[in-house]
Amino acid sequence: MSTKPAVTLDMSGLSCPAPLIGAKKIVDDMEIGQTMLLISDCPGTPDDLLAWARHTGNDVTSAEKLEGGRTAYLITRGGGRKVRSWQRKSNTPLL
């Protein structure tokens, strides 16, 4: 990973949704464009992160496999806004 993250959060050993919740709390306090590194070994984390990123305008920039079944996710704080259900076009899924 070439970008040095502002924050690193190791959530190894914790099951979902803990890694997502931890990442959200940190990303919400970051400036637009800042990055964080989330480390998780929960198999549900990739799906959780991608759905959350699509919904919030943040970006999962990269994912790198580590030893011990862990994965490091580089998350960039986006400038997007949360899509509310009333803002969706009809018949368009939220996620």
Side-chain angles (χ1 to χ4, degrees), residues 46-90:
D47 291 336
D48 287 352
L49 284 178
L50 291 174
W52 167 77
R54 249 191 336 263
H55 188 67
T56 60
N58 296 307
D59 186 35
V60 181
T61 310
S62 65
E64 181 179 313
K65 292 287 185 185
L66 305 174
E67 70 280 348
R70 299 177 308 148
T71 304
Y73 303 92
L74 188 65
I75 302 167
T76 303
R77 166 81 161 153
R81 58 187 171 87
K82 191 174 182 177
V83 177
R84 290 167 175 69
S85 60
W86 55 267
Q87 293 172 316
R88 290 185 291 146
K89 295 177 182 176
S90 60

